[in-house]
Amino acid sequence: MLSNHFQNGIETAKRVWSRIPNSEDLQYIDDAVGLLKKSDGSGVESLDYEVIENYAYREEQAQRGKLYVSYLLVVKWFFALLIGIGTGLAAVFINISVENFAGWKYSLTFNIIQKSYVAGFIVYALINLVLVYSSVYIITQFAPAAAGSGIPEIKGYLNGIDVHGILLFRTLIGKIFGSIGSVGGGLALGKEGPLVHTGACIASLLGQGGSTKYHLSSRWFQVFKSDRDRRDLVTCGCAAGVAAAFRAPVGGVLFALEEVTSWWRSQLMWRVFFTSAVVAVVVRTAMGWCKDERCGHFGSGGFIIWDVSDGQEDYSFVELLPMAIIGVIGGLLGALFNQLTRYITSWRRNYLHKKGIRVKIVEACLISLLTSVISFCLPLLRKCSPCPESDPDCPRPPGMYGNYVNFFCSKEKEYNDLATIFFNTQDDAIRNLFSAKTIHEFSAQSLLTFLVMFYALAVVTFGTAVPAGQFVPGIMIGSTYGRLVGMLVVRHYKKLNIEEGTYALLGAASFLGGSMRMTVSLCVIMVEITNNLKFLPLIMLVLLISKAVGDAFNEGLYEEQAQLRGIPLLAPRPKYVMRNMTAREACGSGMVVSFPRVVKVADVVSILRSNKHNGFPVVDHARSGEPLVSGLVLRSHLLVILQSKVDFQHSPLPSDPRGEARPISHDFGEFAKPVSSKGISIDDILLSSDELEMYMDLAPFLNPSPYIVPEDMSLSKIYNLFRQLGLRHLFVVPRPSRVLGLITRKDLLIEDTETVNTVELQSTRVRMENSDRRLMTRNADAERPLLNGLLVQD
């Protein structure tokens, strides 16, 4: 597989810099994963993280004083507070709902099976079926973008790609209620991944002032209208989602830093940390309020905290070998999981889901019935074991907090070990697998049976049209084979201080590392959810091994799924083959579509209809007749101008013959595209024949300072520049023949008390005679570089 990647390196490099595929390139509809591929190519679109310094932007910045800057800073912190509160409340609502549905289901089923196991199975399967049907119906009919975990889409958004519909209000509603149905219905899925998407949706909605479609917007919140500010809010939402899902605030911050975001700043770190802290306070307050049985079946097991502080006290050097083996197993099983889900998801997209919404509903319902049959019937095949004398509460009814579940046992003081992990909620099952002082609770046959069946269910279920997370299922899979290895270690070394639960914890970490390829954030999350710092070195060991083994076979789960969804992520490092390619080679032989400074309205409409480019160079002409690059104008800005019609003019000459931009009647916020939306389309604009014959002066609307690179710059260097700056367009020009100056670090160290007019640059600069200076001043425009190409992320 590595050789195939290398052989296709040149084609991959060219695709990175070309525009994103539209519906002509990807002929499929993938509603199940939230990509709406339409004929207008609105499936995915790049975001404008670069500051467009046109006249409207500069005029707005000039009117802002220090007081307004302070006001924006206060609003950002206030939004961080609201994101934390909103995400925490959403997580509490989801957990309370899931725990209550599961508690009612298991209580009713347990009461019925006292009389008839057949009737109990029918009731159990019907409850699961109703919950799953409600989830898949909400997704398919109301919010198709809410399917899946949502992390690949959010990762793409923070990488600079906007997938239509992923941050809308209906997506938020579908994510919350769909997660309740899919997780409460017993599917081999988790609610942690969807909670990350939920936090991102809450942050995005706050950033744009609410939802105008459902009349839930407020002008007081419509402060941040740029993609750059919204990106920071969404980053806070992602961290809040992880903090709420695992009660791991520090892990949430590191997850946002390591896994989802591509740009990071120290100021953002503080706001993300504050948001995660707020989530922790909200969740802890809600759990304290629910302790007095105010929340039904929701209790101490409702939120994830698998306390293993009473587990193994220490470990010996000889145990490092089996722990390393756990890391290898996790890497192999994680890579296999990624590959199998990739194949099945691709088959679903290309064959099954093309048949319509009804097929998606039937598929989810059939998987629900299959899961109910396996989880109910397999424990019936196992013999019950006598309860240990050390636990007076044994046995316990299904779905209750604690170990040793009674299920189809002839005697009162017996329990079914397979039902303890199968016929139970996932959180309680993991808590039982992690538990200490329970050496003989599970048999090897039961653990192996559960591992094979649940692994298969997780592979088949992931990719259905329901919200689907893989954190908790991955922990269940890893903790099962980890406990198996622990059982072998206990029997081989025969030491009393070895706990099987410790190896279950390491197995869970190894599978997540082998599947998701996270290291630092996952390590901190595992320490926070287990409340035991002693295992930190061991968790680090298995994570490093499992990630190294998994990377030898394929990419991480989210990267694989992003490729299937057509999300063109820019990886942290460029491919090796890019070192031998130049900017000119990456541009290809295609002609660059450009505009003159003053352009006819009919020509603008024709060009916008004939292609899907989102940025166009504006080329003017010097007095000598040589073409000059004036700047870059965005498609979204052109559409705003065409729709308003106030900037049309009858003359084909510039509105200001001196070449300066005249004041415009547009606010900078008018050019902002709505979040996760198509914005204005050229088909929505109606122009009369007289208006088509008029002209537009683009000087006030273009970005006069786009990023420019010489044509012989290496593609790997351009890749790093493109990704680190969050660019969308990059001009490629011939190598310039004259140097105007040289900027060093000293030129950037300007004191606040000094003004621009009094600052003396301290850098080394090109010395020129006065005559040369006058000559350069006269011919500065004539010597500006010509446009050679355009590297875009359209």
Side-chain angles (χ1 to χ4, degrees):
M1 178 169 290
L2 294 176
S3 61
N4 292 336
H5 285 311
F6 182 78
Q7 292 173 1
N8 297 328
I10 297 179
E11 289 79 8
T12 303
K14 290 183 178 180
R15 286 197 301 269
V16 167
W17 298 113
S18 63
R19 62 186 179 88
I20 297 171
N22 57 20
S23 58
E24 297 176 358
D25 304 313
L26 302 175
Q27 295 292 335
Y28 61 87
I29 298 176
D30 197 4
D31 289 346
V33 295
L35 287 187
L36 306 182
K37 307 290 183 184
K38 298 182 180 179
S39 59
D40 58 353
S42 61
V44 291
E45 182 180 340
S46 295
L47 294 164
D48 294 305
Y49 288 155
E50 180 188 356
V51 176
I52 308 300
E53 296 181 340
N54 57 17
Y55 186 88
Y57 173 81
R58 293 180 178 181
E59 188 178 54
E60 182 181 271
Q61 293 297 314
Q63 295 175 355
R64 291 181 178 181
K66 291 186 177 180
L67 182 62
Y68 187 80
V69 174
S70 302
Y71 167 74
L72 288 181
L73 183 61
V74 172
V75 173
K76 288 180 180 179
W77 283 94
F78 179 65
F79 276 13
L81 173 66
L82 294 182
I83 292 169
I85 294 175
T87 307
L89 293 178
V92 170
F93 175 73
I94 292 174
N95 276 273
I96 290 178
S97 302
V98 169
E99 289 292 319
N100 277 283
F101 278 124
W104 296 331
K105 175 179 63 179
Y106 287 118
S107 298
L108 180 61
T109 303
F110 185 71
N111 293 331
I112 296 177
I113 62 177
Q114 304 299 323
K115 303 176 183 179
S116 171
Y117 275 89
V118 176
F121 168 73
I122 294 175
V123 172
Y124 175 75
L126 284 178
I127 295 176
N128 285 338
L129 186 62
V130 170
L131 290 173
V132 172
Y133 176 80
S134 65
S135 175
V136 69
Y137 185 83
I138 291 174
I139 298 303
T140 55
Q141 301 292 336
F142 180 67
S149 69
I151 294 181
E153 288 82 1
I154 299 302
K155 188 172 182 177
Y157 182 88
L158 296 177
N159 193 260
I161 299 299
D162 186 15
V163 181
H164 174 64
I166 62 169
L167 296 175
L168 299 181
F169 178 74
R170 64 171 180 268
T171 303
L172 172 64
I173 299 301
K175 211 73 178 183
I176 293 175
F177 290 96
S179 299
I180 294 173
S182 62
V183 179
L187 295 180
L189 301 170
K191 54 184 178 295
E192 289 68 31
L195 266 175
V196 176
H197 195 175
T198 299
C201 289
I202 293 174
S204 177
L205 289 171
L206 283 174
Q208 63 178 331
S211 174
T212 55
K213 181 178 180 180
Y214 299 98
H215 305 288
L216 297 174
S217 60
S218 173
R219 291 185 178 180
W220 294 100
F221 291 97
Q222 295 176 359
V223 180
F224 304 109
K225 298 181 180 180
S226 68
D227 291 335
R228 180 184 291 260
D229 292 329
R230 292 167 179 170
R231 174 189 65 190
D232 293 345
L233 294 176
V234 171
T235 303
C236 293
C238 292
V242 175
F246 295 102
R247 288 171 60 188
V250 180
V253 176
L254 294 177
F255 176 83
L257 171 61
E258 178 186 9
E259 187 61 23
V260 293
T261 188
S262 299
W263 301 280
W264 196 261
R265 304 190 312 276
S266 58
Q267 300 92 335
L268 181 60
M269 170 76 80
W270 282 105
R271 288 198 294 273
V272 171
F273 185 80
F274 173 71
T275 305
S276 300
V278 172
V279 171
V281 172
V282 172
V283 171
R284 187 176 183 86
T285 303
M287 291 191 64
W289 188 78
C290 290
K291 280 185 177 179
D292 299 331
E293 298 182 355
R294 299 176 180 175
C295 304
H297 291 271
F298 179 81
S300 58
F303 266 96
I304 297 178
I305 281 288
W306 299 303
D307 196 339
V308 294
S309 56
D310 59 344
Q312 186 171 329
E313 294 293 336
D314 200 3
Y315 52 91
S316 59
F317 181 78
V318 294
E319 293 183 67
L320 295 181
L321 177 60
M323 292 176 181
I325 294 176
I326 289 178
V328 174
I329 296 174
L332 294 175
L333 291 181
L336 178 62
F337 182 87
N338 294 354
Q339 202 65 29
L340 291 176
T341 53
R342 180 183 178 90
Y343 289 150
I344 295 179
T345 304
S346 178
W347 175 77
R348 279 192 176 106
R349 181 196 65 189
N350 294 327
Y351 300 101
L352 188 62
H353 288 173
K354 277 189 173 183
K355 299 180 179 179
I357 294 177
R358 182 176 299 178
V359 175
K360 300 176 185 179
I361 297 177
V362 172
E363 177 199 21
C365 293
L366 289 177
I367 293 177
S368 173
L369 290 176
L370 177 63
T371 305
S372 299
V373 170
I374 292 176
S375 61
F376 191 96
C377 297
L378 279 183
L380 298 178
L381 305 179
R382 290 290 304 165
K383 294 182 179 180
C384 294
S385 304
C387 290
E389 298 179 357
S390 59
D391 193 341
D393 296 330
C394 176
R396 293 178 176 84
M400 299 300 292
Y401 176 78
N403 302 69
Y404 308 111
V405 171
N406 184 302
F407 188 78
F408 197 61
C409 297
S410 57
K411 298 180 181 179
E412 292 184 359
K413 282 295 182 178
E414 288 185 339
Y415 74 96
N416 190 313
D417 61 343
L418 191 56
T420 302
I421 50 178
F422 235 138
F423 199 70
N424 213 335
T425 62
Q426 293 183 14
D427 290 355
D428 288 339
I430 295 173
R431 191 173 286 107
N432 295 339
L433 290 170
F434 283 178
S435 61
K437 310 299 185 293
T438 56
I439 295 180
H440 303 292
E441 180 180 2
F442 303 101
S443 64
Q445 295 85 352
S446 296
L447 291 176
L448 188 59
T449 301
F450 177 81
L451 174 62
V452 174
M453 299 308 299
F454 192 83
Y455 190 95
L457 285 175
V459 170
V460 173
T461 308
F462 188 76
T464 52
V466 294
Q470 278 302 314
F471 273 102
V472 171
I475 293 176
M476 289 193 69
I477 293 171
S479 58
T480 304
Y481 68 73
R483 190 154 185 126
L484 275 170
V485 175
M487 293 174 62
L488 297 177
V489 174
V490 170
R491 292 179 183 179
H492 183 268
Y493 292 110
K494 298 180 180 179
K495 293 184 178 181
L496 298 178
N497 65 327
I498 297 179
E499 289 286 352
E500 298 173 1
T502 301
Y503 288 83
L505 167 63
L506 298 179
S510 70
F511 185 83
L512 291 179
S515 175
M516 300 178 182
R517 313 292 160 80
M518 296 187 298
T519 52
V520 179
S521 59
L522 183 57
C523 183
V524 174
I525 289 174
M526 295 302 296
V527 170
E528 287 187 279
I529 64 180
T530 55
N531 195 25
N532 196 330
L533 196 60
K534 298 177 182 178
F535 299 146
L536 179 60
L538 302 180
I539 295 175
M540 295 171 65
L541 173 66
V542 298
L543 281 176
L544 290 174
I545 296 176
S546 62
K547 184 182 186 303
V549 173
D551 285 339
F553 294 94
N554 50 33
E555 298 185 65
L557 177 64
Y558 300 136
E559 288 75 13
E560 294 278 354
Q561 294 299 315
Q563 291 180 8
L564 286 176
R565 286 156 170 77
I567 304 174
L569 294 177
L570 293 180
R573 293 186 301 176
K575 296 185 180 299
Y576 182 82
V577 71
M578 292 184 179
R579 299 182 180 181
N580 301 321
M581 298 181 63
T582 63
R584 185 180 181 88
E585 295 173 349
C587 291
S589 59
M591 296 297 295
V592 179
V593 180
S594 61
F595 288 114
R597 174 182 169 176
V598 181
V599 59
K600 196 174 184 179
V601 174
D603 295 337
V604 175
V605 174
S606 176
I607 291 177
L608 294 182
R609 290 185 184 275
S610 61
N611 64 77
K612 300 299 180 182
H613 297 306
N614 289 284
F616 302 92
V618 177
V619 180
D620 205 352
H621 289 81
R623 296 177 181 177
S624 61
E626 187 178 2
L628 305 173
V629 178
S630 299
L632 174 73
V633 63
L634 295 180
R635 181 189 190 93
S636 58
H637 292 190
L638 292 174
L639 292 174
V640 171
I641 301 171
L642 291 176
Q643 188 181 54
S644 64
K645 306 177 184 179
V646 297
D647 297 286
F648 291 176
Q649 63 184 38
H650 295 281
S651 173
L653 299 177
S655 56
D656 191 333
R658 295 174 298 175
E660 298 179 359
R662 58 178 171 79
I664 59 177
S665 57
H666 293 279
D667 182 73
F668 185 71
E670 297 180 32
F671 299 115
K673 182 178 71 69
V675 176
S676 193
S677 175
K678 296 181 299 181
I680 306 174
S681 173
I682 186 63
D683 298 327
D684 301 331
I685 300 175
L686 299 178
L687 298 171
S688 63
S689 58
D690 294 336
E691 292 170 337
L692 290 174
E693 295 300 321
M694 298 179 73
Y695 294 87
M696 296 163 45
D697 187 357
L698 302 180
F701 311 100
L702 57 83
N703 181 7
S705 56
Y707 287 92
I708 297 176
V709 296
E711 60 180 339
D712 56 350
M713 180 181 286
S714 68
L715 191 57
S716 61
K717 191 173 182 179
I718 292 176
Y719 186 98
N720 293 326
L721 178 69
F722 207 91
R723 188 181 189 276
Q724 292 173 8
L725 295 179
L727 303 182
R728 187 177 187 180
H729 306 92
L730 189 64
F731 283 177
V732 178
V733 300
R735 177 165 291 279
S737 59
R738 184 182 294 273
V739 180
L740 300 182
L742 182 65
I743 298 294
T744 66
R745 182 184 295 268
K746 293 181 180 180
D747 297 308
L748 305 178
L749 300 178
I750 300 176
E751 298 294 336
D752 293 336
T753 57
E754 296 179 330
T755 62
V756 178
N757 295 328
T758 60
V759 172
E760 182 178 357
L761 300 183
Q762 302 296 326
S763 66
T764 304
R765 67 190 64 190
V766 177
R767 302 295 182 183
M768 295 178 292
E769 299 295 336
N770 292 336
S771 59
D772 291 336
R773 290 179 182 273
R774 290 193 297 268
L775 178 63
M776 190 194 73
T777 302
R778 290 196 303 266
N779 300 332
D781 290 340
E783 291 179 352
R784 293 184 65 181
L786 300 180
L787 184 68
N788 196 26
L790 182 64
L791 294 181
V792 300
Q793 186 184 6
D794 263 357

